[in-house]
Amino acid sequence: MTGVSRRRLFGMTGAGVAIAGTAAGTGYFAASRPDETAATVPFRGPHQAGITTPAQDRMHFVAFDVTTTDRAELAALLRDWTQAAERMTAGLEAIENGAVGGRTEAPPGDTGEALDLPASALTLTIGFGPSLFDGRFGLGDRRPAALLDLPHFPADNLDPARSSGDLCVQACANDPQVAVHAVRNLARIGFGKVAVRWSQLGFGRTSTTSRAQSTPRNLFGFKDGTNNLKAEDTAELDRHVWVQPGDGPEWMSGGTYLVARRIRMHIETWDRTSLAEQEAIVGRAKGSGAPNGAAEEFDPVDLQARSPDGEFRIAADAHIRLAAPATHGGVRMLRRGYNFTDGSDGLGRLDAGLFFVCFNRDPRTQFVPVQRMLSKKDAMMEYLEHTGSAIFACPPGVPPGGHWGDSLFG
Amino acid sequence: MTGVSRRRLFGMTGAGVAIAGTAAGTGYFAASRPDETAATVPFRGPHQAGITTPAQDRMHFVAFDVTTTDRAELAALLRDWTQAAERMTAGLEAIENGAVGGRTEAPPGDTGEALDLPASALTLTIGFGPSLFDGRFGLGDRRPAALLDLPHFPADNLDPARSSGDLCVQACANDPQVAVHAVRNLARIGFGKVAVRWSQLGFGRTSTTSRAQSTPRNLFGFKDGTNNLKAEDTAELDRHVWVQPGDGPEWMSGGTYLVARRIRMHIETWDRTSLAEQEAIVGRAKGSGAPNGAAEEFDPVDLQARSPDGEFRIAADAHIRLAAPATHGGVRMLRRGYNFTDGSDGLGRLDAGLFFVCFNRDPRTQFVPVQRMLSKKDAMMEYLEHTGSAIFACPPGVPPGGHWGDSLFG
Ligand code: HEM
Ligand code: HEM
């Protein structure tokens, strides 16, 4: 047996955004993108990675039910997970010599399908759902008020099998196999203590979270992420994303609240809508992404501008008007969603849409009021169906020596 | 409205494997892989693309039911599809100025989500299912005997909603958004004439179809594709993949038969199996991919080799023994499968596996006997569940001026 291992092939520590060696692939069709795929994102820091990290190309998001009722066992799992997560984000196996370097009579400690692949900018971000604080683990008094049970929104059509969860892990990477490998190995390590509740694969990012990125398109064909918060706006991030001291329980300082919505897009109906109508619904030009009435993608959104006939350039029920900070007293959020296609729906149509993910300092004043207005008034809602919903408290980043459960379990 | 279009951004014809301009992305996280993603695979030729084309990274496979009963309408659709397919594989919109360049009062002729993306080595491969020859279209006497109704194999657990189909299109590309875009636009063009029966996204190739490619890994963590037929083996391809004159109906000469099997892998059970057991089941080392008893991945498979204690090095029920050409009178096939993960199964486990695709000159002597033996004896079957199945006749390549329906409709 040959001792190939991620450690040996890509031996490096996760410090800084390191550029690792190229993958084993050769030829122009090979899976390697030496410059990008191999990048390593640091696991530790004041905030968790995977939030303001420039959005990677692919995502595998998983929600777990905790099946053990033993608090110590849960805390120990979070410790084990942290170790594995840090290793995998550095491009290593889940445990040292995990895949093929151990005793052959034992099940491998790593499942092996990422053996030849570099770190691929993998980030793993953990979150705690409201149900984790229900008393099973003595955490009832630690639940932040901001971690609310999301209200029912008009037109919600939620599938419980795609909603909620005690824990979540958001795995993002430039190679989907690396993201899938990470989730699978965490599930394996958690066997007997947690069970996969639901999981979602996202194949294309729909957001930019850094000015270094170009704006991708969602499945309505529009640029998505133009007016997003960006990693470079550190003051804005402190205002809108990161929980500040005094906001709520101290264990969440430096953390953030993740809201995930699986939004089915009725693309067949959308595709039969005229271009003018589509642009009126979004409030932007489909080609350039410019706000209606403006010329360039990054031109400011002027909600007061009117055409000569007195009509609003950006319609009263346009998505970007109803979601705009100006409509909500300056409120913003960090969007970090992905396009999905989950086969077909049995009625001759693709089951496709947007797995919407956003990060909030306090969803009670950010996601909730914005979604309430969109659900009621957004012209786009005619083409949307929210089929999954979840909220999680993402604790702050892991300091050296610390682990994912530290701030919560104290 | 800005006249951005795939034509303007990537204006080029599909002749030869052209390397187009880089995508709009900048920064090391951007989605562009200038050298690879932008490649264009020629659409026309003696054989369809997407078969011996070096396997691209991602796949979107779709099966359609034909809903029209009008033969001329079906033939016209195949003509329209051909035009759109050729354009999209060249990195263009489905129709000229389709996304944003047309009349704004009309629905766009292209859905737009691939506007800024290069061709990404997209290939589109069409196939005709047995049910297309049932008499609705007067094609009953054109059905090839090799396009059999697949028999029931032991342990099959097929879901009709993931099986069969009148038509299929296999879309492969290095960017999943490009593959999804292509399938969606073909579905849109076919509205009212065809309906999506099922579709499958594959996130990671599990096969090499060219010696220029490194061997990827499947979700059991093993290298997959080592002993595959390769594009370079032209004589072998004529023997095992391409239908030869005299084989059956003349319209299939230069074509091939595609068998697709959605194989759920019980990865949680597999992950609790020892490394030694896993390697005995496959017949190869997990790290290097070398046949058991040999040293290197590409060492020949010696089915007679025995260890000093007299046991076969490659076990009697090992996958590679039971699938080996030597076990089936020299029969081979071209495998071109993809890993998939479709969320979870409601029982706490990921719904993951291998979307197995293979191409045969005659499945009656290739896929069928091999699968029959695997279903009965393969030790790996304990960890597998075949949940979907389909067979399609892929006609020969499209000559200049011709279209996808030419050979069949005459
Ligand atoms: C499938 C569902 C959705 C689609 C297709 C969609 C699409 C878009 C598009 C194309 C833009 C303009 C480009 C940009 O600035 O990013 C945009 C902006 C925005 N969207 Fe959505 N969106 C969806 C759901 C949501 C949801 C659920 C929320 C929050 C509850 C939301 C909040 C926002 C915000 C805050 C902006 C920026 C507005 C501005 O500041 O100009 N969107 N969306
Ligand atoms: C999830 C299901 C399957 C898995 C995980 C799997 C895995 C593998 C692996 C790891 C190899 C060795 C590397 C190689 O030569 O490619 C292999 C070889 C092979 N497999 Fe499979 N396989 C699966 C299903 C199938 C099916 C359904 C067939 C055909 C009916 C098949 C036919 C073959 C053949 C012909 C070989 C090459 C044998 C040789 O010439 O050495 N496999 N497979």
Side-chain angles (χ1 to χ4, degrees):
Chain A
M1 190 185 43
T2 320
V4 175
S5 81
R6 296 191 80 182
R7 175 174 287 289
R8 281 185 41 196
L9 281 175
F10 306 103
M12 59 181 183
T13 60
V17 179
I19 304 298
T22 62
T26 56
Y28 83 97
F29 277 96
S32 62
R33 277 190 294 178
D35 51 339
E36 300 162 7
T37 306
T40 302
V41 180
F43 180 74
R44 293 178 193 266
H47 307 297
Q48 287 195 72
I51 300 166
T52 58
T53 306
Q56 301 96 322
D57 294 348
R58 326 279 170 228
M59 178 207 66
H60 191 193
F61 194 105
V62 64
F64 292 102
D65 289 325
V66 180
T67 51
T68 179
T69 50
D70 183 336
R71 177 186 164 114
E73 202 168 45
L74 173 58
L77 172 62
L78 291 170
R79 191 166 296 119
D80 294 346
W81 268 5
T82 307
Q83 224 165 13
E86 180 166 25
R87 289 183 53 86
M88 292 189 288
T89 57
L92 309 176
E93 296 159 282
I95 73 160
E96 197 169 343
N97 285 326
V100 297
R103 290 170 39 243
T104 59
E105 318 80 55
D110 178 284
T111 59
E113 72 271 25
L115 262 185
D116 320 313
L117 305 174
S120 310
L122 174 68
T123 55
L124 294 165
T125 313
I126 196 159
F128 306 130
S131 50
L132 196 72
F133 301 87
D134 62 6
R136 278 173 296 165
F137 308 105
L139 296 170
D141 59 349
R142 313 218 72 187
R143 177 171 173 178
L147 186 66
L148 77 169
D149 294 308
L150 290 176
H152 173 87
F153 297 101
D156 269 5
N157 188 14
L158 304 181
D159 177 356
R162 297 190 189 276
S163 300
S164 313
D166 293 330
L167 300 171
C168 80
V169 176
Q170 173 196 266
C172 297
N174 287 325
D175 185 329
Q177 182 121 337
V178 169
V180 168
H181 169 265
V183 164
R184 173 192 184 175
N185 279 270
L186 295 180
R188 194 184 51 73
I189 292 168
F191 180 74
K193 293 160 214 157
V194 294
V196 173
R197 182 179 172 87
W198 53 269
S199 99
Q200 180 69 51
L201 226 68
F203 65 78
R205 67 180 173 95
T206 56
S207 272
T208 48
T209 54
S210 159
R211 293 196 206 291
Q213 299 189 289
S214 64
T215 314
R217 291 181 186 269
N218 59 37
L219 294 184
F220 283 160
F222 279 71
K223 292 195 179 182
D224 202 334
T226 305
N227 256 1
N228 203 10
L229 282 174
K230 303 282 156 74
E232 293 82 0
D233 310 326
T234 49
E236 290 282 279
L237 294 174
D238 281 343
R239 215 177 124 203
H240 300 290
V241 175
W242 305 125
V243 176
Q244 301 297 316
D247 276 357
E250 198 40 44
W251 71 266
M252 271 297 289
S253 284
T256 180
Y257 297 93
L258 182 163
V259 177
R261 304 282 290 185
R262 183 181 184 276
I263 310 179
R264 169 95 189 266
M265 290 158 69
H266 292 293
I267 55 176
E268 292 81 2
T269 326
W270 180 261
D271 291 347
R272 292 198 290 278
T273 307
S274 74
L275 178 60
E277 176 72 8
Q278 292 183 5
E279 296 186 333
I281 290 170
V282 172
R284 288 182 176 270
K286 196 167 187 176
S288 65
N292 291 344
E296 305 281 347
E297 180 185 358
F298 292 100
D299 285 351
V301 171
D302 180 352
L303 297 177
Q304 305 316 322
R306 294 179 187 266
S307 58
D309 59 5
E311 298 288 324
F312 276 132
R313 296 275 192 189
I314 295 170
D317 59 357
H319 181 70
I320 67 161
R321 174 184 294 275
L322 298 171
T327 307
H328 297 274
V331 150
R332 305 183 70 185
M333 63 188 85
L334 178 72
R335 289 171 288 143
R336 209 173 188 286
Y338 285 84
N339 298 323
F340 72 82
T341 301
D342 291 343
S344 63
D345 69 355
L347 300 169
R349 299 174 305 207
L350 295 174
D351 182 2
L354 177 65
F355 188 73
F356 178 89
V357 173
C358 69
F359 294 95
N360 306 256
R361 179 171 164 192
D362 188 340
R364 291 171 300 177
T365 57
Q366 296 171 277
F367 173 77
V368 171
V370 174
Q371 183 56 50
R372 194 168 270 140
M373 184 168 294
L374 293 178
S375 291
K376 265 193 222 147
K377 298 193 186 165
D378 187 359
M380 200 190 268
M381 281 300 292
E382 195 184 327
Y383 305 89
L384 302 180
E385 187 184 345
H386 288 240
T387 57
S389 177
I391 183 169
F392 299 96
C394 300
V398 184
H403 74 84
W404 270 345
D406 272 346
S407 76
L408 176 58
F409 286 91
Chain B
M1 190 186 46
T2 321
V4 175
S5 81
R6 297 191 80 182
R7 176 174 286 287
R8 282 184 44 195
L9 281 175
F10 307 102
M12 59 185 185
T13 60
V17 179
I19 303 300
T22 62
T26 55
Y28 81 96
F29 277 96
S32 62
R33 277 188 296 176
D35 52 338
E36 298 162 9
T37 305
T40 302
V41 180
F43 178 74
R44 294 178 191 266
H47 307 297
Q48 287 195 74
I51 299 167
T52 58
T53 306
Q56 301 95 323
D57 294 347
R58 328 280 170 226
M59 177 208 66
H60 191 193
F61 194 104
V62 64
F64 292 102
D65 289 326
V66 180
T67 52
T68 179
T69 50
D70 183 336
R71 178 188 164 114
E73 203 168 43
L74 173 58
L77 173 62
L78 290 170
R79 190 166 298 120
D80 294 345
W81 269 3
T82 307
Q83 223 165 12
E86 180 166 26
R87 290 184 53 87
M88 293 190 287
T89 57
L92 309 177
E93 297 159 280
I95 73 160
E96 196 168 344
N97 285 326
V100 297
R103 288 172 39 245
T104 60
E105 318 79 55
D110 179 284
T111 58
E113 72 271 24
L115 262 185
D116 320 313
L117 305 173
S120 310
L122 174 69
T123 55
L124 294 166
T125 313
I126 197 159
F128 305 129
S131 50
L132 196 71
F133 301 86
D134 62 7
R136 278 173 295 165
F137 309 104
L139 297 169
D141 60 347
R142 312 217 72 186
R143 177 173 174 177
L147 186 67
L148 77 168
D149 294 307
L150 290 175
H152 173 87
F153 296 102
D156 269 3
N157 188 14
L158 304 182
D159 177 355
R162 297 190 189 277
S163 300
S164 313
D166 292 331
L167 300 171
C168 79
V169 176
Q170 173 196 267
C172 297
N174 288 324
D175 185 329
Q177 182 120 339
V178 168
V180 168
H181 168 265
V183 165
R184 173 192 184 176
N185 278 272
L186 295 179
R188 194 184 50 74
I189 293 169
F191 180 75
K193 295 159 212 156
V194 295
V196 172
R197 183 180 171 87
W198 53 270
S199 99
Q200 180 70 51
L201 226 68
F203 65 80
R205 68 181 172 93
T206 56
S207 270
T208 49
T209 53
S210 159
R211 292 194 209 293
Q213 301 188 289
S214 63
T215 315
R217 291 181 185 271
N218 60 37
L219 294 182
F220 283 160
F222 279 72
K223 292 194 180 182
D224 201 334
T226 305
N227 256 0
N228 203 10
L229 281 174
K230 302 282 156 72
E232 293 82 359
D233 309 326
T234 49
E236 290 281 279
L237 294 174
D238 281 342
R239 213 176 125 204
H240 299 290
V241 175
W242 305 125
V243 175
Q244 301 296 317
D247 275 357
E250 199 39 44
W251 70 267
M252 272 297 289
S253 283
T256 180
Y257 298 92
L258 181 164
V259 176
R261 304 282 289 184
R262 184 180 183 277
I263 309 179
R264 169 95 189 266
M265 290 158 69
H266 292 293
I267 55 177
E268 292 81 4
T269 326
W270 180 261
D271 292 346
R272 293 197 289 279
T273 306
S274 74
L275 179 59
E277 177 73 8
Q278 291 182 6
E279 296 185 332
I281 290 170
V282 173
R284 288 182 176 269
K286 195 167 187 177
S288 65
N292 291 344
E296 306 281 349
E297 180 185 355
F298 292 100
D299 284 352
V301 171
D302 179 353
L303 297 176
Q304 305 316 321
R306 293 176 188 267
S307 58
D309 59 6
E311 298 289 325
F312 276 132
R313 295 276 191 188
I314 295 169
D317 59 358
H319 181 71
I320 67 160
R321 173 185 295 276
L322 297 171
T327 307
H328 297 274
V331 151
R332 306 183 69 186
M333 63 189 84
L334 178 71
R335 289 171 287 142
R336 210 172 188 286
Y338 285 84
N339 298 323
F340 71 83
T341 301
D342 291 342
S344 64
D345 69 354
L347 299 168
R349 299 172 304 205
L350 295 174
D351 182 3
L354 177 66
F355 187 74
F356 178 88
V357 173
C358 68
F359 294 95
N360 306 256
R361 178 172 164 191
D362 188 339
R364 292 172 298 178
T365 56
Q366 296 171 277
F367 173 79
V368 171
V370 174
Q371 183 56 48
R372 194 167 269 140
M373 184 168 293
L374 293 178
S375 291
K376 265 194 220 145
K377 299 193 185 163
D378 187 359
M380 200 189 268
M381 281 300 291
E382 195 183 327
Y383 305 88
L384 303 181
E385 186 185 345
H386 288 240
T387 58
S389 177
I391 183 170
F392 299 96
C394 300
V398 183
H403 74 84
W404 270 346
D406 272 346
S407 77
L408 176 57
F409 286 91

